[in-house]
Amino acid sequence: MIKRNRLFGNKTRVTFSLPVNQPAGPVSVVGTFNGWEPGAHELKPRRDGTRTVSVTVPPGSYHFRYLATDGHWFDDENADAFGPHGGEIRV
């Protein structure tokens, strides 16, 4: 799931959410908003059975994918669009 919250000014907080154990092990969201740096935005477990991470971005379009254990890349079915660089979100 992807949730967007507008902040003051022109920034938006984008929260990425996955079930706590699917897939098992550490998962990070990587994309154009963090230079595709693995581990920069690792999802953390929450009490509600999910794990989440938030990034704050200015208006624009961003490509992203999730990176799990053993180099497993996957997309979020809730992305606004899909292309050769994974999912895309527009804020």
Side-chain angles (χ1 to χ4, degrees), residues 1 14-23 25-29 38-55 66-67:
M1 177 170 55
V14 180
T15 301
F16 298 90
S17 177
L18 293 172
V20 74
N21 290 320
Q22 296 176 11
V27 175
S28 58
V29 62
H41 292 98
E42 185 175 324
L43 283 77
K44 301 295 182 192
R46 305 293 177 215
R47 289 185 210 179
D48 66 358
T50 65
R51 53 186 160 176
T52 66
V53 68
S54 296
V55 297
Y66 295 107
L67 178 59

